[in-house]
Amino acid sequence: MFLKLMHLLGLIDITETDSSDSDLELSTVRHQPEGLEQLQAQTKFTRKELQSLYRGFKNECPSGLVDEETFKTIYSQFFPQGDATTYAHFLFNAFDMDRNGSIRFEDFVIGLSVLLRGSVTEKLNWAFNLYDINKDGYITKEEMLAIMKSIYDMMGRYTYPCVRDDAPFEHVEKFFQKMDRNRDGVVTIDEFIETCQKDENIMSSMQLFENVI
């Protein structure tokens, strides 16, 4: 899924660039990203990959920022048969790390680095942040259900065999019962990571849902 999003944004062509390229060609955009060396330290991309990613990002987003409506428009093109609006909203919030209503190049490339090249633990931390809708450090059953329903709205009803309307609720009930180990009604980051790593069924489901990220 991310490859499709990157392709649409013009970011997929991570090719060797001319060594005479300046740092990140900052002069033509309103938002100027952090220095190349700092982004190299924060991600698992090389200097030339970052230059290529930035060039594509700048071409599609000349202001250097992506707002939520633009993100939804781009993302919804992949799911014309469903309603991707709600899931795109949650995904946007996961990328918008400083919660200011826009995704900077830094936000995008740091998240991309985790999802494409991060360890299992790093990816699970990112997934926890996605499910933790209000960013209070816990996942409630309601939050998990909201994410799951948004995924089914986007693609579940068009899968084969057909998915029942109560499938998201059943899915969440099963997952939440396993994850909420101390039965306090919320899932912590430690509970989330430990349960996911120990349960092959959950990990395989997480892999499936990576396809819609």
Side-chain angles (χ1 to χ4, degrees), residues 186-208:
V186 295
V187 174
T188 64
I189 182 67
D190 291 336
E191 287 176 323
F192 183 82
I193 290 176
E194 184 179 354
T195 305
C196 287
Q197 289 181 327
K198 288 183 177 179
D199 192 302
E200 290 185 9
N201 290 328
I202 291 180
M203 283 302 290
S204 62
S205 293
M206 294 293 292
Q207 290 290 327
L208 285 176

Side-chain angles (χ1 to χ4, degrees), residues 175-189:
F175 274 24
F176 203 87
Q177 189 172 13
K178 288 182 179 181
M179 290 183 176
D180 183 16
R181 292 173 171 252
N182 63 357
R183 300 292 184 263
D184 64 350
V186 295
V187 174
T188 64
I189 182 67

Side-chain angles (χ1 to χ4, degrees), residues 17-59:
T17 55
D18 191 283
S19 59
S20 64
D21 285 345
S22 61
D23 228 27
L24 276 176
E25 303 174 16
L26 305 180
S27 60
T28 59
V29 295
R30 286 205 310 272
H31 171 74
Q32 296 189 353
E34 297 167 3
L36 193 57
E37 289 75 16
Q38 186 171 347
L39 284 176
Q40 267 188 274
Q42 291 177 295
T43 68
K44 297 181 181 180
F45 293 122
T46 67
R47 178 187 183 89
K48 291 190 182 299
E49 286 174 336
L50 286 168
Q51 288 174 328
S52 185
L53 284 166
Y54 183 68
R55 194 169 293 109
F57 190 91
K58 187 180 68 173
N59 286 340

